[in-house]
Amino acid sequence: MRGRYTIAVLPGDGIGPEVTAEAVRVLESVGRRFELEFTLDHHPVGAAGVATAGEPLPPATRAAVLDADAVLLGAVGDPRLDHEPRHKRPETGLLALRALLGVYANLRPVMVHPALAFCSPLKPDRLTGVDLVIVRELTGGLYYGEPRGTEDGGAAAVNTLRYTAAEIERVARVAFELARTRRRRLLSVDKANVLETSQLWRDTVTRLAAEYPDVTLEHCYVDYAAMRLVSEPASIDVLLTENMFGDILSDEAAVLVGSLGLLPSASLGAGPGLFEPIHGSAPALAGRNVANPIGAIGAAALLLRHGLGLAEAADAVDDAIRGALAEGCRTRDIALPGVDGLGTREMGERIAELVQRPAARQPATLSPGASPRS
Ligand code: IPM
Ligand code: MN
């Protein structure tokens, strides 16, 4: 394998820079093993953007991400900016970045590592065989709908939930195609008993299903989906839903794996993809070398797989993560009570080392029922 790639690295705020540094360390290790050349240029976003350029998505960062082959993001958010006007908030930078890149399909895979089953508050028997992906629509719905704002001098506020059939169709296609590479089951989540946008969602997904006769489609309401995610999570393969429902359900799904720090996400559109851990900036943990870098490193694996089409390199990273967990490496969030665990850096260093060792593959530790990866 050979190739040259430009990756825009946006560490962001809080623990973002620490976990991103470990993802970069792992990418550099991948580069050595597979003879790939990565140009990894760093750019500010979020509160870091406000601090350096007065806005959460500075023009130089915009230009860099559009020019890159893929974008690796840490996290954004800083409670000190919570009372700033919305255009100066870190989260506004992230939403603008998603819109700029047009990344309408957000993939959030959730797999339970057997050695970590004790981290989850759920009974272990519920966790056996959990291997699901949430596909969240990312550039529409309530997050972006107009009109929005406050009215009557702050006595009222409005947001708009609007979807077009075209927006629903393009993200649904991603979910159907993904289901085809897995257990061929698609669960589409909506609130069609109450919302017109959800009825359009259900009708559009149903219409599309005719093109995917090999995929079993099921619809369910979002309230029931929330229950099902914790009562029978192993029954779910690909879960497709709109922006706001997906935001909420994906944090709930993180409970299954025991720590928000473990989960990565990929946001895909027509241009460069955006890859980030699903956790936030966790200001209380920042600068202390205690954050779990596995979500960020997993995001680097998704970047290799979906952003650059380098499946073998992506497998090496996923194997290294599994290998480190199998040999007992733990950051504080996933350690047994009373155990100190590794620091962010030490965990990253170990995973970067394991990337160099193909012999470190640990297929026996795959969760039972896990589908073979491509
Ligand atoms: C996420 C986050 C973001 C979202 C915030 C930080 C704007 O919670 O990626 O899930 O709501 O989409
Ligand atoms: Mn969220």
Side-chain angles (χ1 to χ4, degrees), residues 195-208:
L195 302 174
E196 283 78 6
T197 46
S198 275
Q199 190 61 56
L200 180 65
W201 186 279
R202 193 172 278 222
D203 294 346
T204 305
V205 174
T206 303
R207 177 167 47 75
L208 218 56

Side-chain angles (χ1 to χ4, degrees), residues 108 136 143 246-248 250-251 278:
R108 299 189 164 185
R136 168 187 174 194
Y143 276 55
D247 180 47
I248 298 167
S250 60
D251 268 31
I278 82 159

Side-chain angles (χ1 to χ4, degrees), residues 116-159:
L116 298 183
F118 77 92
C119 295
S120 170
L122 263 70
K123 296 199 182 80
D125 63 304
R126 302 284 157 118
L127 298 171
T128 306
V130 169
D131 178 7
L132 62 94
V133 183
I134 295 180
V135 178
R136 168 187 174 194
E137 199 291 325
L138 201 62
T139 52
L142 271 177
Y143 276 55
Y144 293 92
E146 297 282 349
R148 65 181 294 162
T150 50
E151 294 176 340
D152 300 339
V158 63
N159 289 97

Side-chain angles (χ1 to χ4, degrees), residues 11 13-20 73-77 94 98 108 250-251 254 259-265 276-282 285 291-297 299 333 344:
D13 312 321
I15 59 171
E18 291 165 72
V19 296
T20 306
L73 182 104
V76 300
L94 179 57
R98 290 171 178 170
R108 299 189 164 185
S250 60
D251 268 31
S259 170
L260 206 51
L262 290 165
L263 293 184
S265 88
E276 53 180 309
I278 82 159
H279 62 68
S281 59
L285 303 182
N292 190 340
I294 289 181
I297 295 169
D333 54 318
T344 310

